[in-house]
mmCIF file of all heavy atoms in Angstrom:
data_model
loop_
_atom_site.group_PDB
_atom_site.id
_atom_site.type_symbol
_atom_site.label_atom_id
_atom_site.label_comp_id
_atom_site.label_asym_id
_atom_site.label_seq_id
_atom_site.Cartn_x
_atom_site.Cartn_y
_atom_site.Cartn_z
ATOM 1 N N GLY A 74 -154.377 58.525 -51.197
ATOM 2 C CA GLY A 74 -153.106 59.145 -50.433
ATOM 3 C C GLY A 74 -151.876 58.727 -51.096
ATOM 4 O O GLY A 74 -151.015 59.607 -51.333
ATOM 5 N N LEU A 75 -151.805 57.356 -51.535
ATOM 6 C CA LEU A 75 -150.588 57.089 -52.287
ATOM 7 C C LEU A 75 -150.374 57.875 -53.508
ATOM 8 O O LEU A 75 -149.258 58.337 -53.899
ATOM 9 C CB LEU A 75 -150.652 55.590 -52.534
ATOM 10 C CG LEU A 75 -149.719 54.907 -53.540
ATOM 11 C CD1 LEU A 75 -148.254 55.094 -53.111
ATOM 12 C CD2 LEU A 75 -149.972 53.531 -53.769
ATOM 13 N N ARG A 76 -151.410 57.990 -54.310
ATOM 14 C CA ARG A 76 -151.272 58.749 -55.602
ATOM 15 C C ARG A 76 -150.992 60.254 -55.305
ATOM 16 O O ARG A 76 -150.248 60.824 -56.166
ATOM 17 C CB ARG A 76 -152.617 58.542 -56.285
ATOM 18 C CG ARG A 76 -152.747 57.184 -56.871
ATOM 19 C CD ARG A 76 -154.142 56.903 -57.672
ATOM 20 N NE ARG A 76 -154.063 55.622 -58.296
ATOM 21 C CZ ARG A 76 -155.201 55.076 -58.967
ATOM 22 N NH1 ARG A 76 -156.269 55.630 -58.829
ATOM 23 N NH2 ARG A 76 -155.113 53.913 -59.351
ATOM 24 N N ARG A 77 -151.604 60.824 -54.316
ATOM 25 C CA ARG A 77 -151.177 62.191 -54.021
ATOM 26 C C ARG A 77 -149.733 62.273 -53.709
ATOM 27 O O ARG A 77 -149.020 63.226 -54.244
ATOM 28 C CB ARG A 77 -151.933 62.689 -52.781
ATOM 29 C CG ARG A 77 -153.321 63.110 -53.160
ATOM 30 C CD ARG A 77 -153.957 64.071 -51.954
ATOM 31 N NE ARG A 77 -153.807 63.502 -50.691
ATOM 32 C CZ ARG A 77 -154.689 62.698 -49.985
ATOM 33 N NH1 ARG A 77 -155.679 62.422 -50.659
ATOM 34 N NH2 ARG A 77 -154.434 62.223 -48.917
ATOM 35 N N GLU A 78 -149.061 61.376 -53.000
ATOM 36 C CA GLU A 78 -147.708 61.531 -52.702
ATOM 37 C C GLU A 78 -146.775 61.225 -53.905
ATOM 38 O O GLU A 78 -145.761 61.812 -54.036
ATOM 39 C CB GLU A 78 -147.398 60.381 -51.605
ATOM 40 C CG GLU A 78 -145.946 60.369 -51.096
ATOM 41 C CD GLU A 78 -145.405 61.607 -50.592
ATOM 42 O OE1 GLU A 78 -146.248 62.536 -50.306
ATOM 43 O OE2 GLU A 78 -144.235 61.797 -50.270
ATOM 44 N N VAL A 79 -147.338 60.206 -54.761
ATOM 45 C CA VAL A 79 -146.512 59.969 -55.997
ATOM 46 C C VAL A 79 -146.513 61.213 -56.804
ATOM 47 O O VAL A 79 -145.382 61.603 -57.398
ATOM 48 C CB VAL A 79 -147.092 58.822 -56.667
ATOM 49 C CG1 VAL A 79 -146.482 58.672 -58.077
ATOM 50 C CG2 VAL A 79 -146.837 57.496 -55.986
ATOM 51 N N ALA A 80 -147.604 61.888 -57.077
ATOM 52 C CA ALA A 80 -147.683 63.105 -57.707
ATOM 53 C C ALA A 80 -146.811 64.190 -57.117
ATOM 54 O O ALA A 80 -146.169 64.943 -57.854
ATOM 55 C CB ALA A 80 -149.042 63.519 -57.832
ATOM 56 N N ARG A 81 -146.743 64.292 -55.805
ATOM 57 C CA ARG A 81 -145.966 65.282 -55.145
ATOM 58 C C ARG A 81 -144.458 64.972 -55.427
ATOM 59 O O ARG A 81 -143.741 65.912 -55.706
ATOM 60 C CB ARG A 81 -146.323 65.352 -53.713
ATOM 61 C CG ARG A 81 -145.710 66.541 -53.017
ATOM 62 C CD ARG A 81 -145.568 66.263 -51.512
ATOM 63 N NE ARG A 81 -144.937 65.114 -51.155
ATOM 64 C CZ ARG A 81 -143.607 65.090 -51.237
ATOM 65 N NH1 ARG A 81 -142.874 66.217 -51.558
ATOM 66 N NH2 ARG A 81 -142.909 63.947 -50.902
ATOM 67 N N LEU A 82 -144.140 63.746 -55.303
ATOM 68 C CA LEU A 82 -142.701 63.441 -55.396
ATOM 69 C C LEU A 82 -142.256 63.611 -56.864
ATOM 70 O O LEU A 82 -141.141 64.192 -57.172
ATOM 71 C CB LEU A 82 -142.483 61.948 -55.163
ATOM 72 C CG LEU A 82 -142.520 61.572 -53.566
ATOM 73 C CD1 LEU A 82 -142.547 60.094 -53.588
ATOM 74 C CD2 LEU A 82 -141.269 62.200 -52.952
ATOM 75 N N GLU A 83 -143.126 63.305 -57.896
ATOM 76 C CA GLU A 83 -142.810 63.691 -59.215
ATOM 77 C C GLU A 83 -142.617 65.093 -59.517
ATOM 78 O O GLU A 83 -141.848 65.495 -60.207
ATOM 79 C CB GLU A 83 -143.962 63.002 -60.188
ATOM 80 C CG GLU A 83 -143.904 61.518 -60.250
ATOM 81 C CD GLU A 83 -145.031 60.995 -61.131
ATOM 82 O OE1 GLU A 83 -145.980 61.813 -61.441
ATOM 83 O OE2 GLU A 83 -145.065 59.838 -61.499
ATOM 84 N N ARG A 84 -143.466 65.990 -58.931
ATOM 85 C CA ARG A 84 -143.316 67.262 -59.090
ATOM 86 C C ARG A 84 -142.089 67.885 -58.484
ATOM 87 O O ARG A 84 -141.294 68.739 -58.942
ATOM 88 C CB ARG A 84 -144.534 68.124 -58.492
ATOM 89 C CG ARG A 84 -145.759 67.990 -59.107
ATOM 90 C CD ARG A 84 -146.790 69.018 -58.723
ATOM 91 N NE ARG A 84 -147.155 68.926 -57.268
ATOM 92 C CZ ARG A 84 -147.955 68.324 -56.737
ATOM 93 N NH1 ARG A 84 -148.720 67.247 -57.411
ATOM 94 N NH2 ARG A 84 -148.189 68.215 -55.358
ATOM 95 N N THR A 85 -141.643 67.423 -57.288
ATOM 96 C CA THR A 85 -140.448 67.859 -56.643
ATOM 97 C C THR A 85 -139.174 67.320 -57.407
ATOM 98 O O THR A 85 -138.324 68.097 -57.558
ATOM 99 C CB THR A 85 -140.351 67.130 -55.179
ATOM 100 O OG1 THR A 85 -141.445 67.560 -54.538
ATOM 101 C CG2 THR A 85 -139.067 67.404 -54.540
ATOM 102 N N HIS A 86 -139.224 66.091 -57.913
ATOM 103 C CA HIS A 86 -138.106 65.513 -58.684
ATOM 104 C C HIS A 86 -137.754 66.283 -59.975
ATOM 105 O O HIS A 86 -136.688 66.304 -60.443
ATOM 106 C CB HIS A 86 -138.298 64.007 -58.784
ATOM 107 C CG HIS A 86 -138.104 63.267 -57.580
ATOM 108 N ND1 HIS A 86 -138.645 62.066 -57.429
ATOM 109 C CD2 HIS A 86 -137.609 63.598 -56.396
ATOM 110 C CE1 HIS A 86 -138.299 61.570 -56.180
ATOM 111 N NE2 HIS A 86 -137.749 62.492 -55.554
ATOM 112 N N ARG A 87 -138.978 66.702 -60.668
ATOM 113 C CA ARG A 87 -138.714 67.492 -61.833
ATOM 114 C C ARG A 87 -137.805 68.756 -61.767
ATOM 115 O O ARG A 87 -137.105 69.250 -62.639
ATOM 116 C CB ARG A 87 -139.980 67.804 -62.537
ATOM 117 C CG ARG A 87 -140.749 66.698 -63.185
ATOM 118 C CD ARG A 87 -141.846 67.221 -64.179
ATOM 119 N NE ARG A 87 -142.957 67.813 -63.435
ATOM 120 C CZ ARG A 87 -144.067 67.250 -62.961
ATOM 121 N NH1 ARG A 87 -144.017 65.948 -63.181
ATOM 122 N NH2 ARG A 87 -144.937 67.784 -62.386
ATOM 123 N N ARG A 88 -137.859 69.196 -60.438
ATOM 124 C CA ARG A 88 -136.999 70.399 -60.124
ATOM 125 C C ARG A 88 -135.552 70.103 -59.862
ATOM 126 O O ARG A 88 -134.737 71.022 -59.798
ATOM 127 C CB ARG A 88 -137.641 71.215 -59.074
ATOM 128 C CG ARG A 88 -139.121 71.629 -59.294
ATOM 129 C CD ARG A 88 -139.601 72.487 -58.072
ATOM 130 N NE ARG A 88 -140.948 72.958 -58.297
ATOM 131 C CZ ARG A 88 -142.042 72.413 -57.871
ATOM 132 N NH1 ARG A 88 -141.851 71.310 -57.126
ATOM 133 N NH2 ARG A 88 -143.289 72.841 -58.067
ATOM 134 N N LEU A 89 -135.296 68.782 -59.743
ATOM 135 C CA LEU A 89 -133.911 68.446 -59.212
ATOM 136 C C LEU A 89 -133.231 67.938 -60.516
ATOM 137 O O LEU A 89 -133.128 66.655 -60.800
ATOM 138 C CB LEU A 89 -134.020 67.370 -58.166
ATOM 139 C CG LEU A 89 -134.817 67.674 -57.064
ATOM 140 C CD1 LEU A 89 -134.911 66.604 -55.899
ATOM 141 C CD2 LEU A 89 -134.430 69.119 -56.339
ATOM 142 N N ALA A 90 -132.484 68.826 -61.219
ATOM 143 C CA ALA A 90 -131.821 68.372 -62.386
ATOM 144 C C ALA A 90 -130.630 69.410 -62.680
ATOM 145 O O ALA A 90 -130.761 70.491 -62.182
ATOM 146 C CB ALA A 90 -132.646 68.409 -63.537
ATOM 147 N N GLY A 91 -129.703 69.012 -63.354
ATOM 148 C CA GLY A 91 -128.571 69.928 -63.627
ATOM 149 C C GLY A 91 -127.310 69.050 -64.162
ATOM 150 O O GLY A 91 -127.473 67.921 -64.636
ATOM 151 N N ASN A 92 -126.225 69.526 -63.844
ATOM 152 C CA ASN A 92 -124.882 68.806 -64.096
ATOM 153 C C ASN A 92 -124.230 68.686 -62.698
ATOM 154 O O ASN A 92 -124.090 69.560 -61.858
ATOM 155 C CB ASN A 92 -124.063 69.578 -65.099
ATOM 156 C CG ASN A 92 -124.629 69.726 -66.386
ATOM 157 O OD1 ASN A 92 -125.156 68.727 -66.855
ATOM 158 N ND2 ASN A 92 -124.673 70.911 -66.986
ATOM 159 N N ASP A 93 -123.432 67.494 -62.540
ATOM 160 C CA ASP A 93 -122.657 67.338 -61.349
ATOM 161 C C ASP A 93 -121.340 67.836 -61.543
ATOM 162 O O ASP A 93 -121.024 68.623 -62.483
ATOM 163 C CB ASP A 93 -122.559 65.758 -61.102
ATOM 164 C CG ASP A 93 -121.822 64.875 -62.116
ATOM 165 O OD1 ASP A 93 -121.103 65.648 -62.873
ATOM 166 O OD2 ASP A 93 -121.849 63.700 -62.140
ATOM 167 N N GLU A 94 -120.466 67.727 -60.489
ATOM 168 C CA GLU A 94 -119.140 68.351 -60.484
ATOM 169 C C GLU A 94 -118.184 67.971 -61.781
ATOM 170 O O GLU A 94 -117.270 68.662 -62.038
ATOM 171 C CB GLU A 94 -118.462 68.060 -59.201
ATOM 172 C CG GLU A 94 -119.228 68.687 -57.935
ATOM 173 C CD GLU A 94 -118.416 68.469 -56.669
ATOM 174 O OE1 GLU A 94 -117.396 67.697 -56.689
ATOM 175 O OE2 GLU A 94 -118.778 69.216 -55.678
ATOM 176 N N GLN A 95 -118.503 66.833 -62.196
ATOM 177 C CA GLN A 95 -117.749 66.350 -63.356
ATOM 178 C C GLN A 95 -118.402 66.684 -64.789
ATOM 179 O O GLN A 95 -117.937 66.318 -65.882
ATOM 180 C CB GLN A 95 -117.569 64.713 -63.314
ATOM 181 C CG GLN A 95 -116.978 64.308 -62.055
ATOM 182 C CD GLN A 95 -116.926 62.881 -61.985
ATOM 183 O OE1 GLN A 95 -116.547 62.070 -62.982
ATOM 184 N NE2 GLN A 95 -117.117 62.243 -60.956
ATOM 185 N N GLY A 96 -119.460 67.502 -64.685
ATOM 186 C CA GLY A 96 -120.034 67.819 -65.936
ATOM 187 C C GLY A 96 -121.180 66.935 -66.451
ATOM 188 O O GLY A 96 -121.767 67.211 -67.505
ATOM 189 N N ARG A 97 -121.443 65.948 -65.756
ATOM 190 C CA ARG A 97 -122.445 64.907 -66.246
ATOM 191 C C ARG A 97 -123.671 65.352 -66.002
ATOM 192 O O ARG A 97 -124.118 65.691 -64.813
ATOM 193 C CB ARG A 97 -122.102 63.515 -65.644
ATOM 194 C CG ARG A 97 -120.893 62.926 -65.924
ATOM 195 C CD ARG A 97 -120.473 61.682 -65.140
ATOM 196 N NE ARG A 97 -120.587 61.938 -63.680
ATOM 197 C CZ ARG A 97 -120.327 60.909 -62.772
ATOM 198 N NH1 ARG A 97 -119.982 59.808 -63.153
ATOM 199 N NH2 ARG A 97 -120.415 61.276 -61.518
ATOM 200 N N PRO A 98 -124.743 65.290 -66.911
ATOM 201 C CA PRO A 98 -126.192 65.674 -66.583
ATOM 202 C C PRO A 98 -126.847 64.659 -65.625
ATOM 203 O O PRO A 98 -126.539 63.442 -65.837
ATOM 204 C CB PRO A 98 -126.790 65.664 -67.977
ATOM 205 C CG PRO A 98 -125.883 64.815 -68.907
ATOM 206 C CD PRO A 98 -124.554 64.901 -68.226
ATOM 207 N N PHE A 99 -127.651 65.211 -64.773
ATOM 208 C CA PHE A 99 -128.506 64.219 -63.888
ATOM 209 C C PHE A 99 -129.792 64.814 -63.789
ATOM 210 O O PHE A 99 -130.105 66.049 -63.907
ATOM 211 C CB PHE A 99 -127.749 64.179 -62.558
ATOM 212 C CG PHE A 99 -127.847 65.360 -61.692
ATOM 213 C CD1 PHE A 99 -129.037 65.530 -60.809
ATOM 214 C CD2 PHE A 99 -126.957 66.257 -61.804
ATOM 215 C CE1 PHE A 99 -129.145 66.637 -60.043
ATOM 216 C CE2 PHE A 99 -127.059 67.564 -60.943
ATOM 217 C CZ PHE A 99 -128.134 67.687 -60.202
ATOM 218 N N THR A 100 -130.737 63.940 -63.531
ATOM 219 C CA THR A 100 -132.056 64.343 -63.110
ATOM 220 C C THR A 100 -132.670 63.215 -62.228
ATOM 221 O O THR A 100 -132.483 62.103 -62.406
ATOM 222 C CB THR A 100 -132.934 64.394 -64.364
ATOM 223 O OG1 THR A 100 -134.353 64.575 -63.854
ATOM 224 C CG2 THR A 100 -132.999 63.176 -65.285
ATOM 225 N N ALA A 101 -133.455 63.845 -61.085
ATOM 226 C CA ALA A 101 -133.971 62.844 -60.107
ATOM 227 C C ALA A 101 -135.168 62.059 -60.785
ATOM 228 O O ALA A 101 -135.722 61.241 -60.185
ATOM 229 C CB ALA A 101 -134.454 63.650 -58.900
ATOM 230 N N SER A 102 -135.582 62.539 -61.901
ATOM 231 C CA SER A 102 -136.770 61.893 -62.653
ATOM 232 C C SER A 102 -136.243 60.730 -63.477
ATOM 233 O O SER A 102 -137.173 60.065 -64.003
ATOM 234 C CB SER A 102 -137.498 62.925 -63.506
ATOM 235 O OG SER A 102 -137.947 63.963 -62.803
ATOM 236 N N ASP A 103 -134.937 60.434 -63.594
ATOM 237 C CA ASP A 103 -134.495 59.316 -64.299
ATOM 238 C C ASP A 103 -135.185 57.984 -63.694
ATOM 239 O O ASP A 103 -134.984 57.638 -62.555
ATOM 240 C CB ASP A 103 -132.989 59.259 -64.137
ATOM 241 C CG ASP A 103 -132.330 58.080 -64.924
ATOM 242 O OD1 ASP A 103 -133.015 57.215 -65.361
ATOM 243 O OD2 ASP A 103 -131.131 58.113 -65.177
ATOM 244 N N PRO A 104 -135.791 57.251 -64.651
ATOM 245 C CA PRO A 104 -136.501 56.103 -64.149
ATOM 246 C C PRO A 104 -135.647 55.040 -63.496
ATOM 247 O O PRO A 104 -135.999 54.417 -62.349
ATOM 248 C CB PRO A 104 -137.082 55.521 -65.429
ATOM 249 C CG PRO A 104 -137.417 56.691 -66.296
ATOM 250 C CD PRO A 104 -136.273 57.607 -66.030
ATOM 251 N N ALA A 105 -134.373 54.866 -63.968
ATOM 252 C CA ALA A 105 -133.488 53.972 -63.405
ATOM 253 C C ALA A 105 -133.021 54.353 -61.981
ATOM 254 O O ALA A 105 -132.941 53.534 -61.082
ATOM 255 C CB ALA A 105 -132.127 53.832 -64.321
ATOM 256 N N VAL A 106 -132.863 55.673 -61.807
ATOM 257 C CA VAL A 106 -132.533 56.248 -60.468
ATOM 258 C C VAL A 106 -133.764 55.983 -59.510
ATOM 259 O O VAL A 106 -133.579 55.601 -58.283
ATOM 260 C CB VAL A 106 -132.358 57.742 -60.465
ATOM 261 C CG1 VAL A 106 -131.951 58.270 -59.115
ATOM 262 C CG2 VAL A 106 -131.085 57.908 -61.415
ATOM 263 N N ARG A 107 -134.933 56.168 -59.930
ATOM 264 C CA ARG A 107 -136.184 56.009 -59.051
ATOM 265 C C ARG A 107 -136.425 54.618 -58.700
ATOM 266 O O ARG A 107 -136.695 54.300 -57.539
ATOM 267 C CB ARG A 107 -137.421 56.627 -59.758
ATOM 268 C CG ARG A 107 -137.215 58.059 -60.112
ATOM 269 C CD ARG A 107 -138.415 58.511 -60.992
ATOM 270 N NE ARG A 107 -139.550 58.733 -60.005
ATOM 271 C CZ ARG A 107 -140.825 59.079 -60.475
ATOM 272 N NH1 ARG A 107 -141.040 59.238 -61.783
ATOM 273 N NH2 ARG A 107 -141.877 59.166 -59.647
ATOM 274 N N VAL A 108 -135.980 53.671 -59.662
ATOM 275 C CA VAL A 108 -136.210 52.208 -59.354
ATOM 276 C C VAL A 108 -135.146 51.792 -58.258
ATOM 277 O O VAL A 108 -135.415 51.136 -57.311
ATOM 278 C CB VAL A 108 -135.998 51.401 -60.557
ATOM 279 C CG1 VAL A 108 -135.713 49.923 -60.299
ATOM 280 C CG2 VAL A 108 -137.118 51.482 -61.475
ATOM 281 N N TRP A 109 -133.894 52.330 -58.400
ATOM 282 C CA TRP A 109 -132.853 52.076 -57.427
ATOM 283 C C TRP A 109 -133.338 52.667 -55.982
ATOM 284 O O TRP A 109 -133.181 51.752 -54.964
ATOM 285 C CB TRP A 109 -131.575 52.649 -57.822
ATOM 286 C CG TRP A 109 -130.566 52.533 -56.805
ATOM 287 C CD1 TRP A 109 -129.910 53.482 -55.986
ATOM 288 C CD2 TRP A 109 -129.924 51.338 -56.247
ATOM 289 N NE1 TRP A 109 -128.951 53.039 -55.118
ATOM 290 C CE2 TRP A 109 -128.987 51.616 -55.239
ATOM 291 C CE3 TRP A 109 -130.074 49.933 -56.737
ATOM 292 C CZ2 TRP A 109 -128.187 50.696 -54.602
ATOM 293 C CZ3 TRP A 109 -129.165 48.970 -56.003
ATOM 294 C CH2 TRP A 109 -128.286 49.372 -54.953
ATOM 295 N N VAL A 110 -133.832 53.716 -55.980
ATOM 296 C CA VAL A 110 -134.248 54.268 -54.623
ATOM 297 C C VAL A 110 -135.255 53.355 -54.098
ATOM 298 O O VAL A 110 -135.399 53.169 -52.790
ATOM 299 C CB VAL A 110 -134.739 55.789 -54.762
ATOM 300 C CG1 VAL A 110 -135.337 56.234 -53.509
ATOM 301 C CG2 VAL A 110 -133.561 56.633 -55.132
ATOM 302 N N LEU A 111 -136.289 53.014 -54.788
ATOM 303 C CA LEU A 111 -137.422 52.167 -54.313
ATOM 304 C C LEU A 111 -136.963 50.771 -53.797
ATOM 305 O O LEU A 111 -137.307 50.235 -52.871
ATOM 306 C CB LEU A 111 -138.374 52.085 -55.420
ATOM 307 C CG LEU A 111 -139.248 53.326 -55.630
ATOM 308 C CD1 LEU A 111 -140.123 53.034 -56.930
ATOM 309 C CD2 LEU A 111 -140.190 53.639 -54.440
ATOM 310 N N VAL A 112 -136.094 50.046 -54.811
ATOM 311 C CA VAL A 112 -135.778 48.812 -54.547
ATOM 312 C C VAL A 112 -134.700 48.583 -53.216
ATOM 313 O O VAL A 112 -134.872 47.583 -52.415
ATOM 314 C CB VAL A 112 -135.061 48.090 -55.763
ATOM 315 C CG1 VAL A 112 -134.391 46.788 -55.442
ATOM 316 C CG2 VAL A 112 -135.989 48.032 -56.980
ATOM 317 N N THR A 113 -134.000 49.619 -53.014
ATOM 318 C CA THR A 113 -133.186 49.625 -51.892
ATOM 319 C C THR A 113 -133.956 49.629 -50.566
ATOM 320 O O THR A 113 -133.482 49.160 -49.585
ATOM 321 C CB THR A 113 -132.176 50.930 -51.792
ATOM 322 O OG1 THR A 113 -132.908 52.146 -51.977
ATOM 323 C CG2 THR A 113 -131.074 50.752 -53.002
ATOM 324 N N LEU A 114 -135.173 50.208 -50.653
ATOM 325 C CA LEU A 114 -135.960 50.194 -49.480
ATOM 326 C C LEU A 114 -136.509 48.711 -49.080
ATOM 327 O O LEU A 114 -136.451 48.336 -47.932
ATOM 328 C CB LEU A 114 -137.152 51.109 -49.588
ATOM 329 C CG LEU A 114 -138.312 51.139 -48.450
ATOM 330 C CD1 LEU A 114 -137.596 51.368 -47.033
ATOM 331 C CD2 LEU A 114 -139.470 52.052 -48.798
ATOM 332 N N TYR A 115 -136.882 48.058 -50.216
ATOM 333 C CA TYR A 115 -137.292 46.679 -50.032
ATOM 334 C C TYR A 115 -136.110 45.781 -49.589
ATOM 335 O O TYR A 115 -136.146 44.978 -48.612
ATOM 336 C CB TYR A 115 -137.817 46.133 -51.399
ATOM 337 C CG TYR A 115 -137.946 44.654 -51.339
ATOM 338 C CD1 TYR A 115 -138.995 44.048 -50.810
ATOM 339 C CD2 TYR A 115 -136.901 43.848 -51.892
ATOM 340 C CE1 TYR A 115 -139.103 42.606 -50.724
ATOM 341 C CE2 TYR A 115 -137.145 42.450 -51.868
ATOM 342 C CZ TYR A 115 -138.120 41.804 -51.342
ATOM 343 O OH TYR A 115 -138.276 40.551 -51.185
ATOM 344 N N GLU A 116 -134.906 46.010 -50.186
ATOM 345 C CA GLU A 116 -133.744 45.316 -49.860
ATOM 346 C C GLU A 116 -133.375 45.491 -48.428
ATOM 347 O O GLU A 116 -132.866 44.545 -47.781
ATOM 348 C CB GLU A 116 -132.531 45.712 -50.844
ATOM 349 C CG GLU A 116 -131.342 44.804 -50.743
ATOM 350 C CD GLU A 116 -130.369 45.321 -49.637
ATOM 351 O OE1 GLU A 116 -130.474 46.507 -49.126
ATOM 352 O OE2 GLU A 116 -129.607 44.455 -49.184
ATOM 353 N N CYS A 117 -133.524 46.697 -47.861
ATOM 354 C CA CYS A 117 -133.082 46.996 -46.599
ATOM 355 C C CYS A 117 -134.072 46.300 -45.547
ATOM 356 O O CYS A 117 -133.700 45.923 -44.450
ATOM 357 C CB CYS A 117 -133.025 48.501 -46.255
ATOM 358 S SG CYS A 117 -131.560 49.295 -46.804
ATOM 359 N N MET A 118 -135.379 46.225 -45.988
ATOM 360 C CA MET A 118 -136.218 45.508 -44.997
ATOM 361 C C MET A 118 -135.954 44.021 -45.058
ATOM 362 O O MET A 118 -135.990 43.469 -43.984
ATOM 363 C CB MET A 118 -137.623 45.694 -45.657
ATOM 364 C CG MET A 118 -138.327 47.003 -45.298
ATOM 365 S SD MET A 118 -140.081 47.016 -45.784
ATOM 366 C CE MET A 118 -140.114 46.987 -47.674
ATOM 367 N N THR A 119 -135.487 43.361 -46.098
ATOM 368 C CA THR A 119 -135.000 42.038 -46.025
ATOM 369 C C THR A 119 -133.722 41.861 -45.380
ATOM 370 O O THR A 119 -133.631 40.894 -44.594
ATOM 371 C CB THR A 119 -134.950 41.429 -47.511
ATOM 372 O OG1 THR A 119 -133.910 42.113 -48.137
ATOM 373 C CG2 THR A 119 -136.201 41.645 -48.162
#
Side-chain angles (χ1 to χ4, degrees):
L75 166 60
R76 288 175 174 171
R77 282 200 306 268
E78 180 62 8
V79 169
R81 188 198 61 78
L82 288 172
E83 289 178 346
R84 294 195 301 272
T85 299
H86 289 160
R87 281 197 295 269
R88 300 184 178 99
L89 308 181
N92 295 316
D93 64 15
E94 293 183 351
Q95 301 178 42
R97 299 175 299 184
F99 73 89
T100 173
S102 297
D103 184 342
V106 176
R107 301 177 75 186
V108 166
W109 172 249
V110 170
L111 287 169
V112 173
T113 50
L114 177 57
Y115 167 81
E116 189 274 343
C117 278
M118 286 190 286
T119 62

